[in-house]
Structure formats: structure tokens, C-alpha cells
Amino acid sequence: MSFLERLFSPDSIALIGASKDETKLGGIILRNLLQFKGRVYPVNPKYREIMGLKAYPSSADVPGKCDLVIIMRPAPEVPAILHGLQGRTRCAVIMSSGFAETGQIGLQEEVKKISAGSGIRILGPNCMGIYNPSQRLDTFFLPRERLKRPGRGNVGIVSQSGAILSCLLGAAASSRTGVSKVVGYGNAMDIDESELYEYLAEDEDTEVVVSYIESVADGRRFLEKARILSEKKALLILKAGKGESGQAAAFSHTGRLAGRYEVFHSLLRRFNISEAMDFDGLMDATKALSYQRPGRGNRVCIITNGGGSGVLAADECMSQGLEVTSLPGPSKEKLGRVFPLYYGINNPVDLTAQVKDDDYATALEELKGDYDGFLIIVLPNVMGITEGLAEKLMASRKYLSKPLVCHIAEGGITARLTRLVERTRIPVYSSPERAVRALKALLG
Amino acid sequence: MSFLERLFSPDSIALIGASKDETKLGGIILRNLLQFKGRVYPVNPKYREIMGLKAYPSSADVPGKCDLVIIMRPAPEVPAILHGLQGRTRCAVIMSSGFAETGQIGLQEEVKKISAGSGIRILGPNCMGIYNPSQRLDTFFLPRERLKRPGRGNVGIVSQSGAILSCLLGAAASSRTGVSKVVGYGNAMDIDESELYEYLAEDEDTEVVVSYIESVADGRRFLEKARILSEKKALLILKAGKGESGQAAAFSHTGRLAGRYEVFHSLLRRFNISEAMDFDGLMDATKALSYQRPGRGNRVCIITNGGGSGVLAADECMSQGLEVTSLPGPSKEKLGRVFPLYYGINNPVDLTAQVKDDDYATALEELKGDYDGFLIIVLPNVMGITEGLAEKLMASRKYLSKPLVCHIAEGGITARLTRLVERTRIPVYSSPERAVRALKALLG
């Protein structure tokens, strides 16, 4: 079992800095660790028992070796703690902040030396740690009632920032996107994005990797690992610290220089690695790639019951390099026979306010062979749209294996309809443009 | 009283094509008209009474003149209906589709001639009509349980597309943005965006105007009216039909040519008229401008409890031409004394996961004089953030009259906290980038 395999699926965990107080970070982490499948050893000299678990005065008192040690103590104590762990673990997660990111570069260097000397690999410092739902492993210092965790799924998340990690988790949970392995690696003193990419490239549970990056220490290695990963899985990168202000902010955040964004951007392009342009773009593409297999081609068919929404979608297709080509003659003729006169039998197909649920399926089935990807636009404010639409769309998944995304506008039944449609693994978006950009992610 | 004044605030309305059936368009409209402050005359020869109102066999039977006649009958019947209205009304809303947008250009021309000959001004055809909450006037054929209407406020909406109009209303309602006068003008055969701009420029209830446009018939007149309006109020335009596909879609939607977008775009720029780039951008800016007064300058202060979110916001500031300038020395020193060592006393101010509600107010009060606009970023997943934050931010509105927007990330208390913060007229956005773009709208 590889070292990172062990990090994501340990048998036993010690938490140094465990607390009884559930409002303190060491208490929140311990409470989250109570769910963990394996053994948990809280370490705190003040108590003999915490949250029903036997507590240990120091790491030296923990029986046997630990696969993983989590350190949640003030930064200046960390070197001594690491010394004490020598020979007792292969891996420590240093969650504490107060290292290079606050100017304490010497302290971080000291920790790095101890790590190299002792062979203890380090995640962090200044990081969020690990979430692996298949092991019920959750090292985050965020209470679950404050941040809902996404369920099991095929998305791996690799984030330098803990804040963005929490935002990604929140967005994944609310968009019904399940995760495989999640890691916040903070200052990346030892384990970095490149090593994590290498691991996730081989991880069976992971089909999509989302990566938030502020800075990269070894650009050549990063590109190599990113390229290999993106050949095997869908890889989506959000690079922050693009301009002067962002770079300054990134430096004081993780203590590493961000480098020139233009270079980073053009290298990603050259190697055909997908880059998201903002947070919403990242999560929208992630949901699409998590729900569906990518396809090929750039011809898009738009089926809508709102004319203006179809126009906005067609505009966005153009700016994304997708083509909204005319309906082929025979299909146009056939749809003209089955649909009322006042429907717009073009691309976008305009089913108007007189739409019925069935019409979407009729159009999809007729046009399934003519396009590379499909966008369904639903304005659920008219009587003809019901929750039954989800079933009609689900049925279409049987004869249509091409990318299909959906925009459902705000309305009385939107939340319920969205839930039902997403159950069929058709991703739903709140604006026509976001839906088109997600479709673009599926069409490569 | 001007003719458009009468259109938005009529005393009496006749509905030709009123229906008993609440699933039919003529039934839905009538049900919505039941709320109206003035008199309503349903016209339908089949009934003597509909929904508790006396029904009339034809418009000729309606007692006295009508300020407004709504026509919801098949397109081919419209010319005869209009002839019958001669001398009985000054204004008709033709909601029916089946005119120029479906190729029936001759029919539309015929209607135009009758209108010119009879002096009856026409809104539409192929349009949604009017919503004026102060008169409880609502001519839309969308049931209220399907589409919640926004309450009274300062935003006027002028939309060529009924679909987009319904999306704008839905988004306004869900973002607590109130409206003054709302109009969907469809094919713009007679009353067009320019005339509506002229009216809204003088309308006391309207401070912000949102306009969705696919095509403009008289470009010179449009620019003149848009310029005058934008000098008096905040005007936001979303232009659809930008490229070939979008233009084709727009033509089959409202039967007018969209024209070259590049020309449109550069003219708006020249006259300093704001253009939204997509639907979300339009609604985000609208909320900001509806909630707060615009300011001047481009120096932005970001106060966050999540480092990565601050970096993304700083990046977006750069790409929007906003400057995230360093904290002035004295402020930095003072905040350094009151905040813990591990807070990042830079711009962005990083209050870290150890944040307390109070910290935002402390930073805001100290920095209020140093910047032109403020962005508050809240990751509500840590224990130190409570619903009490809304009160702290509200207090800040007393000493801070500059633009202030907020990004609150996904989390357990997000919905409640957002509602409380927006009650204080601080607009809240779901991503750092969207919040920055909204702040940009406030800083002109």
C-alpha cells in the first residue's frame, strides 16, 4: 500500500490537540473523527477521556504505531511534537497555521528538516487535511451542521486553500456531486499538488479531479503530473493569484510565490488541460463531468420553451466556440408535422409558453442523431411544465448517450424539478449561459 | 396624464379572450387581474359571468371607455377585434403570438395600419404586458404559484422577451429586489424600448432600469433615449442576438433583425451606458444598484475570513479594473494592535477561521475612510460566524455610505444570514467573483 493510500485510508489516527470543547478546533476535529471507521486516539495531557474515547497524555503513550497523526497545536510547539513522533508514524497532517504564510519561514524550514530527517511525510502546514467518505474519514475543523459534506462519488478535490476547499465541498453537496478523495494541502511544504495528482491518476474511485492552486513550487513537475492526470481523468484547474493584487494576497495566504499567470495559462492551454475561469465555472464544469461522460464535436441543439433564453444560450454557444447549426431538412419537416404551427422549428427549437412535457422528448428523440450535445431550457412558469418532465428526460437517456445539460429558470416548482432531473444525472444550471459553459466542458 | 402613465395605471381594463379555465392563458390572466385595484371587464360571448365578474359578449358591450384592452385571442382574429375597439380605448396590449415572429408579416402590417388609423396605441403583439405592483396590475399569463412576483421597489424592467421577463421577475423576487414598473413589449410594433425609456426616465418610482433587448428598429432614437435615461437613472442593458446563431434565434423570436452587435456594443461604451455580459451579471448588478447608491473611485478593500476567497476576489478586481491597494500604514498598525497575530493585516484583510462577527465591524470602521468600496467575504462554516453578523454590518451602514457588497459562501446558516444581511440593504452574492462584479457596477 502506497504512502498516500495510507494517508487517505489509515487504520488508526492520533489527534494531538484534541479538545473536549466542541467550539474549539481540536474539539470539532475530534467530533468529526468519531465517525471514522478505524481507531482514533485523542492526545491531550489534561484528560483521561474525551468524547467517550480514552485520551493519551502524549503521542508516546499511544499504543503501537499510528498510520496518521493530526497536529492541531500552536505552530511553535510543532517541532517538538514532530521529534516525539519519530519512529511512531509515517505521516502527519499539520493543520496549525503560523508558518511561512505569516512570515515564520524559519519555523517552517525547521519542520521541513525534522520531516526529512525522521522520514515523516507532512501534509500542510496551514491546511485542512483529508475527507474520504468511503472511510468516513473527516479531519476538517468545520462542524457538519455548519458545512454539509457531499456524499460518495467520483470527484477528487485537491485544494491549496482550506477556505476554497470548504466552498467546493459546500457547492458539491448542494449540487448533488459526490466526492472520492478530498484534500486541502495548505503550504505544501512536503506533499504537494503534483504528488496528489500522481496518486489520483491511479485512484479507482476518482474520475474527475478539481484542483484549486495559488502557487506551484516546481513548475516542470507540476506540468508533467497534470498532463498525465488529464490524459487519464477529467482535470479542472482553477488558478488564483492571477494579477499583482491576487498574487500578493496569495503570498500572504500560503507563503509561496504565485509566478506569472500568463505563462501558467499558456502552458495549460498547450497541454490541453482545462482551466476554469472562476469559482462558479469550476463547480459547474465539475458537476457536468461528474454526472456524464464527455463527448466529441461542437454542434449543439437547444430545445427551449422560452425564446429569449434560447437567444442568450445561442449567443453563449458562439462565444464558447460551439455551433448552433440549423435543423436538418427531414427533421425539421417531421417536427413541423407533429408540433403546433406556432412552435419555432429551428435551432433553438422554441416550444413556446404552450409547451407540454412530452414536447421535449419528441424533439430530443427526433434530433438525437443530428447533434453532438443538447441543451434543454425549461421555464417552469407555465402550466404545461410539470414534475413529470424529469421522467421524460430520464427516458431520453436510454437512446441518447451524448452530453445533455439543462437550464431550469426560477419558479414555483424549480427546486423539486431540479432535484428530480439531477437524479437522472442530467446537470441543471440556473442560467442559460452557465448551462452552455458546462456543456462546453463536456464537449472538450 | 400621459398615455404611458395611463397604460401602467389604468382605471379600467377589458380582457378580450377571458376564460373560465384557469389552465388556459385567458383564465390565468383574468385570475391575476382579480387583484387589480380598478375595474375589470372580462369579454367572452360564451359566459355571462366569469370568476365572479360580469362578462360581456364583445368589447362593444363594455360600459363606457376602457383605459386598457388586453387581447388574448388567436392572431387572425386580432384585426377585427381592433376595428371593434375604435373610439372605445386608447391602448391595447396584444398578447397573442403568430405575427411577424412566425413569418406573418402581412398580418402584423395590417394591425399596424388599423392602429395608426384608429389612434389606438399598441403594446406587442407577442408580448407579456404590464406588471405594476403599486396598482396591483398584473397582465401576465403566468400563474402566481408558478412565478412569485417581486414586491414594490425601485427597479423598472423593460424586456422584449416574455421568457426573459419571467426569469428577471423570478430572480428579482428571490433576491429581494423590488420593482416599480415592469413591461414586456414583444414585437415592438408600436410602443418600443425607446418610448418606454423616455417614460421611465421621468417616473418617480423608478431609480434603476433593466432592459433586455434583442433588436432595435431605430438605432439613433434608441441611443438618444438610452443616453437621457442613463443620465438620470442607473440603466443596465442586456443585448441578446450577439452572433449569427443568436441573431437567427432572435429573428424567429420577435421578427426583427438584431443588427451588428459590435456596433451596438461600441456605441453603448461611447455613451457610457452599462451593458451586462450575461443573465447573472444583469441581475447581480441590478440588485446592487437597487440596494445602494453608486459611488466613485476604484480602490477596493476586501475583508475576508477565507484566504483563498480573498485571492479569487482580488483577481477579479484586477480584471474589472478595480485596485486592491495596500492598507495605509496607520490603519495597518492600529489593526495589528487589536487583531490576533495570526490575522493577515493586508488587503485582503484575512480574519482567518478564528474570526468573530465583531472583527468585520472593527476592520470596516478602521478602514472606512481609506477606500472607495468594500467587499465583505463570509465563510459561515466556522463557529465564530453567527447570525449576529448582520447586525454588526447594519451598524456599519451608519458611518459608511460607500458601496459595500457581500459574498457569503454555502453553509448551514447561509440562507438565514443572507436574508438578514440583505434586509440591511447590503447585497449578498454566492461567489467572490460575482460579488466583485456587482461592486464594479456600483463604482461605475
Side-chain angles (χ1 to χ4, degrees):
Chain A
M1 191 179 267
S2 85
F3 144 72
L4 282 172
E5 192 68 39
R6 186 55 77 198
L7 171 67
F8 282 103
S9 303
D11 285 330
S12 53
I13 300 175
L15 171 59
I16 300 181
S19 170
K20 272 197 165 181
D21 182 345
E22 293 194 14
T23 68
K24 291 205 170 145
L25 302 184
I28 298 168
I29 297 171
L30 184 59
R31 210 179 118 210
N32 288 331
L33 285 177
L34 294 180
Q35 314 258 341
F36 174 54
K37 279 182 169 180
R39 291 184 303 281
V40 176
Y41 306 111
V43 175
N44 185 327
K46 284 193 280 184
Y47 306 105
R48 300 184 58 180
E49 181 253 301
I50 311 180
M51 296 187 199
L53 296 174
K54 181 172 160 54
Y56 300 85
S58 83
S59 62
D61 303 303
V62 171
K65 287 191 180 185
C66 266
D67 287 334
L68 181 59
V69 174
I70 299 170
I71 302 174
M72 185 74 250
R73 292 290 305 161
E77 297 180 20
V78 171
I81 291 170
L82 267 187
H83 273 302
L85 288 173
Q86 208 152 353
R88 306 190 59 82
T89 189
R90 283 171 68 197
C91 183
V93 179
I94 304 177
M95 310 195 78
S96 331
S97 59
F99 292 88
E101 85 283 1
T102 56
Q104 305 301 311
I105 295 161
L107 188 60
Q108 187 162 314
E109 280 303 312
E110 191 186 346
V111 167
K112 197 168 180 175
K113 262 187 215 147
I114 302 169
S115 155
S118 62
I120 300 173
R121 300 294 309 274
I122 305 285
L123 187 68
N126 181 31
C127 81
M128 287 276 283
I130 303 287
Y131 172 56
N132 179 356
S134 74
Q135 302 295 313
R136 300 203 300 266
L137 170 59
D138 180 346
T139 74
F140 300 158
F141 50 75
L142 304 170
R144 287 183 165 243
E145 63 276 14
R146 283 304 186 100
L147 183 70
K148 209 180 151 195
R149 310 298 200 256
R152 278 180 80 159
N154 58 1
V155 176
I157 302 179
V158 179
S159 176
Q160 194 166 0
S161 155
I164 297 298
L165 186 61
S166 76
C167 294
L168 290 169
L169 286 172
S174 78
S175 70
R176 292 165 273 267
T177 305
V179 297
S180 53
K181 311 281 192 309
V182 176
V183 51
Y185 61 95
N187 290 8
M189 189 202 79
D190 175 13
I191 300 168
D192 63 3
E193 70 294 324
S194 301
E195 192 166 358
L196 293 161
Y197 288 180
E198 193 175 26
Y199 167 74
L200 290 173
E202 303 301 328
D203 180 52
E204 280 181 2
D205 298 336
T206 303
E207 291 174 343
V208 181
V209 176
V210 179
S211 182
Y212 171 87
I213 296 176
E214 291 182 358
S215 56
V216 163
D218 182 343
R220 190 180 298 266
R221 186 161 154 262
F222 161 76
L223 271 176
E224 187 202 327
K225 300 302 180 192
R227 214 175 73 194
I228 294 170
L229 173 57
S230 76
E231 277 162 11
K232 295 189 173 182
K233 319 256 159 126
L235 170 62
L236 290 163
I237 290 178
L238 178 60
K239 173 69 174 71
K242 292 186 167 115
E244 215 181 301
S245 334
Q247 287 181 6
F251 183 71
S252 67
H253 179 217
T254 55
R256 299 206 299 177
L257 278 169
R260 271 196 61 203
Y261 171 65
E262 293 71 21
V263 176
F264 186 92
H265 176 69
S266 68
L267 284 169
L268 289 191
R269 268 186 90 93
R270 193 198 296 169
F271 294 119
N272 211 10
I273 299 168
S274 305
E275 193 185 355
M277 282 304 122
D278 59 13
F279 185 85
D280 287 341
L282 183 71
M283 283 314 299
D284 288 350
T286 299
K287 178 160 76 172
L289 288 160
S290 168
Y291 278 28
Q292 295 188 7
R293 300 207 161 276
R296 285 160 184 282
N298 71 343
R299 289 168 312 145
V300 169
C301 177
I302 302 170
I303 305 170
T304 180
N305 70 324
S309 309
V311 180
L312 288 180
D315 279 343
E316 186 65 24
C317 281
M318 182 197 66
S319 82
Q320 295 293 330
L322 298 171
E323 283 185 41
V324 187
T325 48
S326 309
L327 300 196
S331 301
K332 194 175 160 93
E333 208 174 286
K334 190 162 168 214
L335 287 177
R337 279 198 304 274
V338 296
F339 281 153
L341 266 180
Y342 46 84
Y343 279 20
I345 319 288
N346 308 291
N347 191 9
V349 182
D350 186 354
L351 307 172
T352 79
Q354 309 267 37
V355 68
K356 303 270 170 240
D357 293 338
D358 264 337
D359 298 336
Y360 287 100
T362 305
L364 265 180
E365 184 146 20
E366 178 56 35
L367 298 166
K368 62 179 185 285
D370 299 326
Y371 292 92
D372 304 311
F374 295 83
L375 168 59
I376 298 288
I377 295 179
V378 183
L379 277 61
N381 310 316
V382 294
M383 299 302 278
I385 300 287
T386 75
E387 289 173 30
L389 175 59
E391 251 174 75
K392 310 280 175 195
L393 292 178
M394 182 164 65
S396 78
R397 302 297 290 154
K398 281 177 199 138
Y399 54 77
L400 185 77
S401 57
K402 295 171 184 172
L404 169 63
V405 305
C406 191
H407 155 50
I408 304 181
E410 194 90 33
I413 66 167
T414 301
R416 288 196 308 279
L417 184 58
T418 297
R419 202 165 46 238
L420 292 169
V421 171
E422 292 205 330
R423 242 187 236 163
T424 75
R425 308 311 276 169
I426 296 170
V428 176
Y429 301 94
S430 60
S431 83
E433 296 96 343
R434 287 176 72 165
V436 169
R437 295 192 280 261
L439 185 57
K440 170 70 181 174
L442 283 168
L443 290 172
Chain B
M1 191 179 264
S2 84
F3 144 70
L4 283 172
E5 191 70 36
R6 186 54 76 198
L7 172 66
F8 283 103
S9 302
D11 285 328
S12 53
I13 300 176
L15 171 60
I16 301 181
S19 170
K20 273 199 164 172
D21 182 345
E22 292 194 15
T23 68
K24 293 209 169 141
L25 302 185
I28 299 168
I29 297 171
L30 184 58
R31 211 179 117 212
N32 288 331
L33 285 178
L34 294 181
Q35 314 257 341
F36 173 56
K37 280 183 169 180
R39 292 183 302 279
V40 176
Y41 306 111
V43 175
N44 186 326
K46 283 192 282 184
Y47 306 103
R48 299 183 58 180
E49 179 254 300
I50 312 178
M51 296 187 200
L53 295 175
K54 180 173 162 52
Y56 299 84
S58 84
S59 61
D61 303 302
V62 171
K65 287 192 179 184
C66 266
D67 287 334
L68 181 60
V69 174
I70 299 170
I71 302 173
M72 184 74 250
R73 293 290 305 162
E77 298 180 20
V78 171
I81 291 170
L82 267 187
H83 274 303
L85 289 173
Q86 208 152 351
R88 306 190 59 83
T89 189
R90 283 172 67 197
C91 183
V93 179
I94 304 176
M95 310 196 79
S96 332
S97 58
F99 292 88
E101 83 284 0
T102 57
Q104 305 301 311
I105 296 163
L107 188 58
Q108 186 161 316
E109 281 302 313
E110 191 186 347
V111 168
K112 198 168 178 175
K113 261 187 218 149
I114 302 170
S115 154
S118 62
I120 299 173
R121 300 294 310 273
I122 305 284
L123 187 68
N126 182 32
C127 80
M128 287 275 282
I130 303 287
Y131 173 56
N132 179 356
S134 74
Q135 302 295 312
R136 299 204 299 268
L137 170 60
D138 180 344
T139 74
F140 301 157
F141 51 75
L142 304 169
R144 288 186 164 241
E145 63 275 15
R146 284 305 185 98
L147 182 70
K148 207 180 151 195
R149 309 300 200 260
R152 279 180 78 160
N154 57 1
V155 176
I157 303 180
V158 179
S159 177
Q160 193 165 3
S161 155
I164 297 297
L165 185 61
S166 76
C167 295
L168 290 170
L169 285 173
S174 78
S175 71
R176 290 164 276 267
T177 304
V179 297
S180 52
K181 309 281 191 312
V182 176
V183 51
Y185 61 94
N187 290 9
M189 188 201 78
D190 175 14
I191 299 169
D192 63 4
E193 69 295 323
S194 302
E195 192 166 358
L196 293 161
Y197 288 180
E198 193 176 26
Y199 167 73
L200 290 173
E202 303 300 328
D203 181 51
E204 280 182 3
D205 298 336
T206 303
E207 291 174 344
V208 181
V209 176
V210 178
S211 181
Y212 171 87
I213 296 175
E214 291 182 358
S215 56
V216 163
D218 182 343
R220 189 182 299 266
R221 186 161 152 264
F222 160 77
L223 271 176
E224 186 202 325
K225 300 302 179 191
R227 214 174 73 193
I228 294 171
L229 174 56
S230 74
E231 277 162 12
K232 295 191 173 182
K233 320 257 161 124
L235 169 63
L236 290 163
I237 290 178
L238 179 60
K239 173 68 174 71
K242 292 185 167 115
E244 213 181 303
S245 332
Q247 287 181 5
F251 183 71
S252 68
H253 179 217
T254 54
R256 299 206 298 176
L257 278 168
R260 271 196 60 204
Y261 172 65
E262 293 71 21
V263 176
F264 186 91
H265 175 70
S266 67
L267 284 170
L268 288 192
R269 270 186 89 92
R270 192 197 295 169
F271 293 119
N272 211 12
I273 299 168
S274 305
E275 194 184 354
M277 282 304 121
D278 60 13
F279 184 85
D280 286 342
L282 183 69
M283 282 315 298
D284 289 351
T286 299
K287 179 160 74 172
L289 288 161
S290 168
Y291 278 29
Q292 294 187 7
R293 299 208 160 274
R296 286 161 183 280
N298 71 343
R299 289 168 312 145
V300 169
C301 177
I302 302 170
I303 305 171
T304 181
N305 70 325
S309 309
V311 179
L312 289 179
D315 279 344
E316 185 65 23
C317 280
M318 183 196 64
S319 84
Q320 295 293 331
L322 298 172
E323 284 186 38
V324 187
T325 49
S326 311
L327 300 197
S331 300
K332 195 175 160 93
E333 209 173 284
K334 188 160 169 215
L335 287 176
R337 280 199 303 274
V338 296
F339 280 152
L341 267 178
Y342 46 84
Y343 280 20
I345 319 285
N346 308 291
N347 189 9
V349 182
D350 186 353
L351 307 172
T352 80
Q354 310 267 35
V355 68
K356 303 272 169 239
D357 294 337
D358 264 336
D359 298 338
Y360 287 100
T362 304
L364 265 181
E365 185 148 19
E366 177 56 35
L367 299 166
K368 63 179 185 284
D370 300 327
Y371 292 93
D372 305 312
F374 295 82
L375 168 59
I376 298 290
I377 296 179
V378 182
L379 277 60
N381 310 316
V382 293
M383 299 302 279
I385 300 286
T386 75
E387 290 173 28
L389 176 58
E391 250 174 75
K392 311 278 177 197
L393 292 178
M394 182 165 63
S396 79
R397 303 297 290 153
K398 281 175 200 139
Y399 54 77
L400 186 76
S401 57
K402 295 170 183 173
L404 168 64
V405 306
C406 190
H407 155 50
I408 303 181
E410 194 92 33
I413 65 166
T414 301
R416 286 195 310 279
L417 184 56
T418 297
R419 204 166 45 238
L420 292 170
V421 171
E422 292 206 328
R423 242 187 237 164
T424 75
R425 307 312 276 169
I426 296 170
V428 176
Y429 301 93
S430 60
S431 83
E433 296 96 342
R434 286 176 72 166
V436 169
R437 294 192 280 261
L439 185 56
K440 170 70 181 174
L442 282 168
L443 290 172

